[in-house]
Amino acid sequence: MVAAYEESRRKRMEENKKRMEALNLHQLSHALHKSSSSFPKPSPSKPRTPQKLKEHVVVRRSSRVAKLPTPVYKEVVVDRVTIPRRSYNRHRDYSKRVYASDEAREEALEKAYKLESDLGSEYPIFVKTMLQSHVSGGFWLGLPVHFCKGNLPKGDEVINLIDEDGNEYPTIYLARKTGLSGGWKGFACAHELADGDALVFQLVKRTAFKVYIIRVNGPAEEG
């Protein structure tokens, strides 16, 4: 059986050799090997250097607003009003602030509410007790929202504060924030307002308050 297998194997090898010679496979294999060895080796690639960033970047606008004119933003000036500058002690020692007691604050408020009642209802009126943020440091005076919505201008305006001697102090009223900003510091410092003082604001004109001051430790000062 082994001899028969070897004989059969030898015949298959001879047949395969004849087929390869008929197809000329040996010459093709040699030609392919020769051509592949003639190709030049690729040169090592150079490292890529990052491109410089552009100095100006063009911002793409949404297609929804691309045809609209470019918005221009600017500060809003209230009638170009110049608030007079006054000299104040810019180096206050805030460690020496005096805070009113609850009893003294309540007493000043009671006097202010009595004065409010005596003044009647001819003009819109409200009472405001002073805090340290109103009379030192920030100098911002927030006004009652319901009063502002019902009685004051809908936009930013200059509102004058008229004191007991008839002197007028222009202030900037910010409608969105419902409070007095620029100019309020001048009024507060000129009248040496203190924590606990109670002020009665009487709207005698569209943009003018008559202001009555009730000292936290003293009598009322009527305008």
Side-chain angles (χ1 to χ4, degrees), residues 35-127:
S35 62
S36 62
S37 61
S38 63
F39 288 143
K41 294 183 179 180
S43 59
S45 59
K46 296 182 180 179
R48 297 180 62 185
T49 56
Q51 296 181 351
K52 291 184 178 180
L53 294 177
K54 293 182 178 180
E55 295 182 359
H56 301 283
V57 178
V58 178
V59 179
R60 295 181 61 188
R61 302 180 67 192
S62 169
S63 59
R64 184 167 55 88
V65 296
K67 295 182 179 180
L68 297 179
T70 303
V72 177
Y73 301 97
K74 60 183 179 179
E75 295 183 355
V76 177
V77 180
V78 183
D79 294 336
R80 300 177 180 235
V81 173
T82 301
I83 302 299
R85 293 185 177 273
R86 304 172 189 270
S87 59
Y88 310 113
N89 182 6
R90 296 181 178 275
H91 302 285
R92 290 187 175 188
D93 187 355
Y94 293 123
S95 64
K96 296 181 180 180
R97 285 175 171 173
V98 177
Y99 291 85
S101 64
D102 292 340
E103 294 78 10
R105 187 183 299 275
E106 287 296 327
E107 183 179 353
L109 274 173
E110 288 180 5
K111 293 179 181 178
Y113 286 129
K114 183 179 184 304
L115 176 59
E116 178 188 24
S117 177
D118 293 342
L119 290 172
S121 58
E122 181 181 358
Y123 300 104
I125 194 169
F126 69 89
V127 173

Side-chain angles (χ1 to χ4, degrees), residues 98-101 105 129-133 135 193-197 216:
V98 177
Y99 291 85
S101 64
R105 187 183 299 275
T129 184
M130 295 293 100
L131 304 175
Q132 285 293 353
S133 60
V135 299
L193 297 181
D195 180 68
D197 287 349
V216 70

Side-chain angles (χ1 to χ4, degrees), residues 126 128 140-148 152 159 173 177-180 201 209:
F126 69 89
K128 183 78 176 180
W140 161 261
L141 184 68
L143 306 182
V145 176
H146 67 279
F147 185 93
C148 296
L152 296 185
I159 290 184
Y173 169 67
K177 295 185 177 181
T178 61
L180 301 181
F201 289 82
F209 279 110

Side-chain angles (χ1 to χ4, degrees), residues 78-79 124 143-160 171-180 203 205-209:
V78 183
D79 294 336
L143 306 182
V145 176
H146 67 279
F147 185 93
C148 296
K149 298 297 184 184
N151 300 283
L152 296 185
K154 304 303 179 183
D156 297 349
E157 285 273 6
V158 174
I159 290 184
N160 289 315
T171 63
I172 300 297
Y173 169 67
L174 301 180
R176 186 173 61 85
K177 295 185 177 181
T178 61
L180 301 181
L203 189 65
K205 296 180 182 179
R206 176 180 173 273
T207 57
F209 279 110

